[in-house]
Amino acid sequence: MSEKKKAPRPRKKEYLHWEKLDNTANIFPVIAGEEMTNTYRISVVLNEDVNPNFLQEAVDRLTVRMPGFNLRLRSGFFWYYLEEIDKPAPRVVEENTYPCRFIHANANNGYMFRVTYYGKRINFEAFHVIADGTGGINFLRELTYQYLRLAHPELEQKLGDGFSPETSMDREDSFLKNFKKGQKNAYRLDRAFLFRGERLPYRGFGVIHGIMSVSEIKKIAREKYNLTINEYLVAAFVYATYRANPRGVTKKRPVRVAVPVNLRPYFDSITTKNFFCMAIAEFVPEKDDYTFAEVAEIIRESLKKAITKENLEKTFSFAVSNSEHLIARVVPLPLKNGGMKFFYNMAARSTTTTITNIGNMKVDEDYRKYIRLFYCFLPFSTGQRMKGTIASFNDTLMYTIVSAYRDTSVQEGIFRQIASDGAAVSIETNGVYYE
């Protein structure tokens, strides 16, 4: 009688894929921790309750197919790097804490993203090392499609299980490809106005959403102030900050807003790695009183000057040139980390806040009826414990202000200004201000 043979064990990969961090990502492992998590969130709200089993299966399927998201962070002698993970995908759980908390990779199978759900909402959170907002949108959109195909098998019968044509798999370091040598320092180090005040208890994360019509806001911004939607909403934040802090906002402590700019359209890139840089909108008071229209014009001119291909190229080229310098390359990682952290803390004092606009979310027509809206959050950072995010889908725009402070006068001022301009604004919060 022949002996029954055991099935062979699957062979572990002999060589795991690895890749360098992009230039922007180099700073995030240095400064990240419980207080400054560098973990952003993008959420999709469906028109139906989320089935956690289907969501877990969608995460399992997608993680092995999406380059860049099945990677863990490793530290080398000179630089951090990313290495492929050969472990199961992160576990999906019902949301039970504040957004944008630090991701402990060791407790997450090494992965630097998490997926949670609550009611009709799916939350995707990622450590900024692996992707910026555009790369995160790339992943969440495909995750949503995969989930909906599992929840509605007729979709998979009709569409198959392939990726959308607009989904990128590219992992190019577009900073390294497009930088120009010899650029001068474009970073500001002089102090800006910074928020202060009583904090929410237990490291609270206050959320206030202003929900409005895209077409209505676009009309007001263009016809009343000759602004884009982005310029108008940044100006509303700046004006509300100025009005709420008349003694704090001065010529020596101006309001400066960092506005992340997606560099892909300027440099013909489709990378899912980080590829953005900051444009600065600045309001320096030169007299005792300003109207909103005056502040709006100052912000418009400030952003118009900052957001040009030439200025954006100068900004990121200086940073890339420094990291590519021979001396920087041969300095051991611990010494590099000390220098980068010192420079970051110096630079952090020069901006009041960050406001990011992830734009109007594009969704394939077959999936649109299942989706209600999208929104996003930014985590707090040094000197910036109040930030704004903008996202839209169909004709619904979500202007979200996150804050660590009890006082809500800035948020009230923002939405009061928008309402006074004639827009219908509905407000939602996460309830922490009422505790």
Side-chain angles (χ1 to χ4, degrees), residues 14 17 43 84 92 105 164 205 220 222 243 282 346 416:
E14 218 172 312
H17 165 76
S43 297
E84 184 182 0
V92 168
S164 168
F205 192 96
I220 290 169
R222 184 178 64 243
R243 298 296 293 179
E282 182 178 54
M346 291 284 291
R416 190 181 299 118

Side-chain angles (χ1 to χ4, degrees), residues 270-337:
I270 56 170
T271 184
T272 60
K273 286 192 171 191
N274 290 289
F275 194 42
F276 72 98
C277 71
M278 298 295 190
I280 301 297
E282 182 178 54
F283 169 65
V284 184
E286 301 281 356
K287 60 178 185 176
D288 290 337
D289 196 28
Y290 284 83
T291 65
F292 174 69
E294 289 174 321
V295 171
E297 178 59 22
I298 291 168
I299 295 303
R300 187 183 77 85
E301 286 299 317
S302 184
L303 286 175
K304 185 178 178 182
K305 289 178 182 177
I307 304 177
T308 66
K309 183 177 180 179
E310 182 182 12
N311 283 340
L312 296 170
E313 188 175 68
K314 285 180 182 177
T315 300
F316 76 79
S317 290
F318 173 75
V320 178
S321 295
N322 281 347
S323 66
E324 287 298 298
H325 196 282
L326 179 61
I327 295 176
R329 291 168 67 180
V330 299
V331 171
L333 184 60
L335 295 179
K336 268 198 202 80
N337 286 350

Side-chain angles (χ1 to χ4, degrees), residues 97-390:
T97 187
Y98 289 122
C100 302
R101 288 307 194 214
F102 186 66
I103 296 176
H104 293 274
N106 289 341
N108 197 42
N109 278 348
Y111 290 92
M112 292 180 285
F113 74 90
R114 69 166 67 97
V115 175
T116 62
Y117 68 95
Y118 190 83
K120 295 178 171 62
R121 185 177 71 236
I122 298 172
N123 308 307
F124 169 75
E125 295 187 336
F127 186 30
H128 229 309
V129 162
I130 53 173
D132 59 14
T134 302
I137 290 167
N138 204 51
F139 186 92
L140 177 62
R141 186 171 49 224
E142 283 298 339
L143 177 63
T144 305
Y145 293 169
Q146 183 73 71
Y147 170 82
L148 289 172
R149 290 196 297 267
L150 290 167
H152 302 275
E154 66 275 14
L155 284 173
E156 186 160 353
Q157 291 172 7
K158 177 183 178 182
L159 304 170
D161 195 34
F163 285 159
S164 168
E166 62 187 334
T167 295
S168 175
M169 299 288 174
D170 189 90
R171 293 293 290 171
E172 171 189 85
D173 185 342
S174 293
F175 286 116
L176 202 56
K177 180 181 177 182
N178 293 287
F179 88 102
K180 289 189 175 179
K181 296 180 180 179
Q183 298 296 335
K184 294 181 180 179
N185 186 4
Y187 293 93
R188 302 286 295 268
L189 294 178
D190 48 325
R191 285 179 177 266
F193 167 78
L194 300 180
F195 291 109
R196 297 280 189 268
E198 181 186 357
R199 299 271 188 91
L200 293 165
Y202 312 114
R203 292 177 32 238
F205 192 96
V207 177
I208 298 180
H209 297 294
I211 306 166
M212 56 202 86
S213 162
V214 173
S215 55
E216 199 169 45
I217 293 297
K218 186 175 182 179
K219 183 177 180 182
I220 290 169
R222 184 178 64 243
E223 295 183 3
K224 200 165 186 177
Y225 301 105
N226 190 31
L227 302 172
T228 65
I229 289 177
N230 208 44
E231 290 166 347
Y232 175 74
L233 295 178
V234 171
F237 189 107
V238 171
Y239 186 66
T241 300
Y242 161 68
R243 298 296 293 179
N245 300 275
R247 295 184 180 180
V249 178
T250 65
K251 193 172 182 178
K252 289 186 177 180
R253 295 288 185 271
V255 179
R256 288 199 198 98
V257 180
V259 179
V261 178
N262 177 17
L263 296 171
R264 292 166 181 82
Y266 294 91
F267 297 93
D268 194 27
S269 169
I270 56 170
T271 184
T272 60
K273 286 192 171 191
N274 290 289
F275 194 42
F276 72 98
C277 71
M278 298 295 190
I280 301 297
E282 182 178 54
F283 169 65
V284 184
E286 301 281 356
K287 60 178 185 176
D288 290 337
D289 196 28
Y290 284 83
T291 65
F292 174 69
E294 289 174 321
V295 171
E297 178 59 22
I298 291 168
I299 295 303
R300 187 183 77 85
E301 286 299 317
S302 184
L303 286 175
K304 185 178 178 182
K305 289 178 182 177
I307 304 177
T308 66
K309 183 177 180 179
E310 182 182 12
N311 283 340
L312 296 170
E313 188 175 68
K314 285 180 182 177
T315 300
F316 76 79
S317 290
F318 173 75
V320 178
S321 295
N322 281 347
S323 66
E324 287 298 298
H325 196 282
L326 179 61
I327 295 176
R329 291 168 67 180
V330 299
V331 171
L333 184 60
L335 295 179
K336 268 198 202 80
N337 286 350
M340 286 193 288
K341 194 166 189 177
F342 175 79
F343 180 80
Y344 175 85
N345 288 333
M346 291 284 291
R349 301 177 303 176
S350 68
T351 49
T352 305
T353 189
T354 299
I355 299 177
T356 188
N357 186 347
I358 65 171
N360 193 286
M361 300 292 290
K362 294 180 173 62
V363 171
D364 291 352
E365 191 59 40
D366 290 288
Y367 300 100
R368 294 182 77 87
K369 69 178 182 179
Y370 300 98
I371 299 171
R372 181 178 160 227
L373 54 83
F374 290 86
Y375 60 84
C376 57
F377 296 150
L378 289 177
F380 304 140
S381 55
T382 300
Q384 296 188 26
R385 297 191 177 274
M386 186 186 302
K387 296 186 178 184
T389 56
I390 305 159

